[in-house]
Amino acid sequence: MIARQMQPGLERLFKEFTSELEKPLPSRPKRTSSISSRHSAVSQEGLGSSLHTTLSNGSITQPLGLELRDEEDKMRRSLETAVTAAIDLFQMVDKQQLSLLGATTELTGPLVERMIERYITEQVHDSVLFSRICVVRRVDDLELESRIKQMLDVDISQVGIPIEGGQQGKQELAVRLARGAEVFKKMGVAGSPQEMLEILLDTEKSITMAESSVGAATKPGIIGVGNVISEKPSAVLTINADTLISMLLVVVIRSPVRHLQARLSYMRHFIFIDDVESGEMGYALNTFDAVLAYLARDSGGLRRASRRNRKLWQATKTGN
């Protein structure tokens, strides 16, 4: 009943929103990538120290300087208007139906607003919204993706992660990072900024959960794609911000997810109901932001290490 009452208004809302966003983007002066134009003052030889020194200051909220651009600001205001209008439509439906909904479910006002916001965003995500954000961030994302491809052979011992327990400790860490990469890959097909943020949170949780043993963690069927599945309960590890950034860095490098800066902007600027600047969500976004900042500015040392690793591996395989 509620859906039928809202449908005409929602159809009109979507039509107006799509019409507004499908207008040609204003022409912009040709610019070079903001990544390549920045000068790094950090030595690229000390990989672990440069990563931590540059990124681990908790006061840094947007280390990429990912300001909201004019085109994004226009899209953000249009989406916020659409979400507000949809919430108003919900509040104008038959009061008896609303009373029945409140009496027979555990839905609260804020929860309903979140559901409406996510529904609106999902309806316009594929057709127009996210593709436009990708256009805005295209130059920087293409350069970032090129840099990441040059780091694929980096070893987890080369990014400043403290590894305890010798080879077994490294194996346990590798299992957690592989599990995190499987979760993070889902971001490539996420259909809203809310879903992307959920995946980012799940990724960070998965790399900080310790399996009962390496054997249990690596048995077939124990680790599912995107799901933390274990025969034994997992324990949360105490990991500081420096180490979490380094771990997420490896996950991002090993996960072929494109449009990373567009996704960061999408999560930061296109969620309205939830506070994404503080708490668990804010911490997750700041960590992701710090990783992208390092990849964009200070990753020359990792690219060199990756090339050396590849050269050594090829020589080993050929018996040279």
Side-chain angles (χ1 to χ4, degrees):
M1 289 291 292
I2 292 175
R4 283 201 295 269
Q5 291 180 49
M6 292 181 65
Q7 194 59 37
L10 288 174
E11 290 178 355
R12 183 174 62 253
L13 182 155
F14 289 134
K15 184 176 180 180
E16 292 173 354
F17 178 84
T18 302
S19 175
E20 179 67 21
L21 263 65
E22 285 181 342
K23 294 178 181 178
L25 289 174
S27 59
R28 294 183 296 150
K30 187 176 182 180
R31 69 181 188 89
T32 58
S33 167
S34 61
I35 294 176
S36 59
S37 63
R38 294 189 178 103
H39 173 72
S40 171
V42 180
S43 168
Q44 296 175 336
E45 294 300 328
L47 303 184
S49 61
S50 68
L51 178 61
H52 292 167
T53 302
T54 306
L55 305 177
S56 63
N57 296 326
S59 60
I60 298 176
T61 56
Q62 290 187 327
L64 267 181
L66 205 63
E67 74 279 358
L68 193 66
R69 294 178 183 165
D70 291 342
E71 300 95 323
E72 291 175 312
D73 186 49
K74 176 185 175 182
M75 289 185 280
R76 185 184 191 279
R77 286 185 279 107
S78 296
L79 180 63
E80 189 172 17
T81 298
V83 171
T84 301
I87 292 174
D88 290 342
L89 284 174
F90 176 79
Q91 294 174 342
M92 289 188 295
V93 302
D94 182 71
K95 300 303 180 185
Q96 184 177 357
Q97 294 298 325
L98 291 181
S99 298
L100 181 61
L101 184 69
T104 56
T105 72
E106 296 182 356
L107 293 176
T108 63
L111 181 56
V112 170
E113 290 182 353
R114 288 188 186 94
M115 293 168 65
I116 292 174
E117 177 191 51
R118 182 161 180 164
Y119 173 76
I120 297 299
T121 308
E122 287 175 345
Q123 298 307 302
V124 298
H125 169 89
D126 288 323
S127 60
V128 61
L129 182 58
F130 185 60
S131 60
R132 303 280 285 188
I133 298 173
C134 289
V135 170
V136 173
R137 298 287 173 181
R138 181 175 182 273
V139 174
D140 287 342
D141 268 332
L142 284 176
E143 183 163 347
L144 184 63
E145 289 162 16
S146 174
R147 290 178 179 229
I148 291 174
K149 287 179 181 178
Q150 299 173 50
M151 304 179 212
L152 296 178
D153 295 303
V154 165
D155 187 72
I156 59 177
S157 63
Q158 296 173 313
V159 296
I161 303 175
I163 300 175
E164 301 176 354
Q167 189 62 30
Q168 180 176 341
K170 186 176 180 180
Q171 186 179 357
E172 292 173 351
L173 174 61
V175 168
R176 296 207 310 274
L177 294 179
R179 186 174 62 211
E182 288 299 326
V183 177
F184 190 75
K185 287 175 184 177
K186 288 185 170 184
M187 191 175 290
V189 294
S192 68
Q194 293 86 356
E195 185 179 2
M196 291 182 189
L197 186 51
E198 288 173 0
I199 291 169
L200 180 61
L201 287 166
D202 286 345
T203 299
E204 295 188 7
K205 289 176 182 177
S206 69
I207 61 179
T208 57
M209 296 292 288
E211 295 293 338
S212 302
S213 67
V214 176
T218 55
K219 287 179 183 177
I222 301 305
I223 300 176
V225 178
N227 297 304
V228 179
I229 305 173
S230 176
E231 289 180 339
K232 299 180 181 180
S234 298
V236 178
L237 300 174
T238 301
I239 294 177
N240 61 34
D242 291 347
T243 302
L244 181 60
I245 289 171
S246 297
M247 293 170 69
L248 188 60
L249 173 70
V250 175
V251 167
V252 170
I253 290 173
R254 296 183 177 181
S255 305
V257 177
R258 301 185 59 211
H259 310 300
L260 292 175
Q261 294 200 47
R263 295 180 194 280
L264 176 59
S265 179
Y266 201 28
M267 290 184 282
R268 273 206 186 280
H269 301 130
F270 290 82
I271 296 176
F272 310 109
I273 305 300
D274 289 315
D275 179 10
V276 298
E277 295 299 324
S278 61
E280 187 180 36
M281 293 181 182
Y283 185 80
L285 281 174
N286 287 342
T287 302
F288 185 49
D289 198 336
V291 167
L292 297 191
Y294 180 79
L295 290 170
R297 300 171 184 167
D298 305 307
S299 58
L302 286 185
R303 296 198 298 277
R304 287 195 297 275
S306 179
R307 287 195 298 270
R308 291 168 183 157
N309 291 350
R310 168 56 54 177
K311 187 175 180 181
L312 174 62
W313 178 239
Q314 293 296 343
T316 303
K317 285 202 298 181
T318 58
N320 185 344

